[in-house]
Amino acid sequence: MSITNKNMVMLVDDNQVDLFLNKKFLDISGISDEIISFLSAREALNYLEENAKCVEKLPVLILLDVKMPDINGFQFLDHFKKMQSILTKEIKIIMLSSTIDPVDLNRAHDNEFVFDILTKPLNPNALKELLKKQNLRWVA
Amino acid sequence: MRTKSNILYVDDEQNNLTGFKATFRRDYNIFTAESAEKAMELLRENDFEVIISDQRMPDMTGVEFFESIKDDYPDSVRMLLTGYADIESVIKAINEGNVYRYITKPWEEQDLKLTIDNAIEFYNAKNDLRIRNIELEKAYTELEKFVYSASHDMRAPLASILGIVQLAKMENENSDFEDYLNKIETSVEKLDNFIQNIIAYYRSEKLVIQSAEINFEQLIKDAVSSLEFYESAPEINFNMEINQNTIFKNDESRLKLIVNNLLSNAIRYQKPDNKEKRIDIKVDVDDNQAKIVVQDNGVGIEPENINKVFEMFYTTTSGNSGSGIGLYIVKDTVDKLSGTIEVESTPGIGTTFTTIIPTQK
């Protein structure tokens, strides 16, 4: 694996404990070699916008919390969609929520950027299996 | 409520209208119309418990008239005044639900009064049921939202705790157990604070409004120290400015509920990377009211979300709305104390909640 093709994962969650946990679980799953985390959707969106042209600074995957203050997970997706034309990398999104109801499930599955929505706490093995199934080429 | 019921009588013969009015004006508020057109005008401006119409009128029959107003004024009880010759069209009208009852001409005062009173009773029973139904539907929707929002808020800290336990089991050694215990403690305190809040809210739902002298300085200090468990609380600069030179009487537990929730909201909505996190609390008390302003330099609220902040977090077909139970409780409690609350916000700059609570007389 070359350095220019880092498996960067972005974490977005307003809860510090959950951010810490997701970082740890990602480490355990071994699917990424760099993690950047944000406590708000706004900061995460700003980062993506600022680094839109910098391929090596963009993540391949975003783990996105659904319920956040200010901009929630689904609102993040709306902003993310508008940003597509300037992003120089294809970014996939997995949504995370402590409770998932059918409406959220359908909305997540209908979204072109989201390939699944998972219940918290994150299960590192389930995440690995999911990424394998999606044939993400960078998954060992 | 009006003491006398409004009755509308439609008939093309002026003599009948005059006679009807003279007979019943002591019992009801009588409105008369000599044509369907005139009756429509009266309907637009008044509510009627009962509408009586003559069947044979030049421009429109009584049945046709009732058919035309049924959808716009479904609650009024409609009665037809008719001779035996029209009986077939009357039966049809009753079967189609356009007419409640018919009165044969010529009418007897006692009979007609009894019939009108029955109709009014029918109207009232139907109306009470309708109001009850609306109230029940509203209560049910609130309950549904409450269960959804509360279960989400309770499940979130539990999921964090479960995650830490699972992580510790996976790692076995090398874990910083003290750090893990601290994180579990934070999550437990969050959950506990939430449940206490719900209990306080439900208690206040049942209790009558209490009265006590309020010391705002103490009340706000207590509120701030009860929220110290939030991870970000130690980094926040709380500025208090309390201008209270007069006695202010109100319901202490409800005021606490309002202040606690406004402050915990201001803590949770801070910008994580801001080095100068700030919450300003300003209270001005005069003889008439207490004005409580809570201002933060947090994330702010998007204009599209600002109207929903006082709603419970809920998933509708168009997506998630509302922000949790905290601000819903604030609004509800402020309303109970006959106060007002306003919110102003600029995304990325901060939010200001201004609450005004009148002094108890």
Side-chain angles (χ1 to χ4, degrees), chain B residues 237 239 262-263 266 270 278-282 292-298 344 349-354:
Chain B
N237 198 355
N239 301 304
L262 285 177
L263 288 180
Q270 285 291 327
R278 199 186 75 239
I279 297 174
D280 299 332
I281 306 142
K282 189 166 183 279
I292 307 163
V293 180
V294 176
Q295 184 168 36
D296 64 58
N297 60 347
E344 268 176 73
I349 303 293
T351 306
T352 307
F353 285 93
T354 305

Side-chain angles (χ1 to χ4, degrees), chain B residues 18 24 61 98 105 142 163 176 242 260 267 297 310 313:
Chain B
T18 317
F24 292 112
T61 70
N98 294 335
K105 275 193 200 172
E142 290 291 286
D176 182 353
I242 316 285
N260 277 18
I267 293 171
N297 60 347
F310 295 118
F313 176 68

Side-chain angles (χ1 to χ4, degrees), chain A residues 31-120:
Chain A
I31 56 166
S32 92
D33 45 26
E34 191 175 354
I35 296 164
I36 45 169
S37 51
F38 295 92
L39 275 157
S40 75
R42 185 183 300 278
E43 288 175 288
L45 287 166
N46 285 344
Y47 175 89
L48 290 175
E49 197 162 13
E50 277 163 23
N51 297 292
K53 304 266 176 280
C54 256
V55 181
E56 71 273 17
K57 283 190 176 171
L58 290 177
V60 281
L61 176 73
I62 301 173
L63 296 186
L64 177 66
D65 186 28
V66 171
K67 196 193 171 195
M68 290 184 286
D70 187 28
I71 300 175
N72 69 34
F74 285 106
Q75 288 170 327
F76 176 99
L77 293 177
D78 295 338
H79 290 277
F80 183 78
K81 186 173 182 165
K82 286 181 201 143
M83 218 183 268
Q84 278 309 297
S85 58
I86 57 163
L87 285 176
T88 47
K89 191 183 224 164
E90 194 196 350
I91 303 173
K92 285 291 179 189
I93 296 171
I94 293 178
M95 298 189 92
L96 297 175
S97 182
S98 53
T99 42
I100 299 175
D101 67 17
V103 179
D104 285 351
L105 199 68
N106 288 335
R107 281 185 89 200
H109 285 160
D110 286 347
N111 192 291
E112 55 190 306
F113 308 112
V114 177
F115 63 68
D116 214 344
I117 178 165
L118 300 176
T119 320
K120 287 183 186 177

Side-chain angles (χ1 to χ4, degrees), chain B residues 297-347:
Chain B
N297 60 347
V299 293
I301 305 161
E302 291 284 311
E304 59 181 291
N305 295 335
I306 200 146
N307 293 325
K308 297 188 224 153
V309 291
F310 295 118
E311 289 172 17
M312 281 187 270
F313 176 68
Y314 193 56
T315 300
T316 61
T317 43
S318 59
N320 295 320
S321 86
S323 56
I325 284 174
L327 291 176
Y328 170 82
I329 290 177
V330 169
K331 176 82 172 79
D332 192 77
T333 312
V334 168
D335 286 347
K336 282 210 175 65
L337 299 181
S338 314
T340 57
I341 183 158
E342 277 170 25
V343 54
E344 268 176 73
S345 186
T346 313

Side-chain angles (χ1 to χ4, degrees), chain B residues 177-218:
Chain B
F177 283 118
E178 201 186 325
D179 180 43
Y180 291 7
L181 287 177
N182 286 335
K183 287 188 162 61
I184 289 177
E185 192 177 19
T186 305
S187 301
V188 171
E189 269 168 345
K190 257 185 209 167
L191 183 56
D192 190 41
N193 180 265
F194 175 79
I195 291 170
Q196 303 247 26
N197 214 349
I198 297 295
I199 293 170
Y201 172 64
Y202 265 82
R203 228 175 251 154
S204 92
E205 282 286 279
K206 284 189 188 141
L207 272 182
V208 290
I209 308 252
Q210 310 285 310
S211 182
E213 284 184 18
I214 306 296
N215 177 348
F216 273 103
E217 181 127 23
Q218 196 57 47

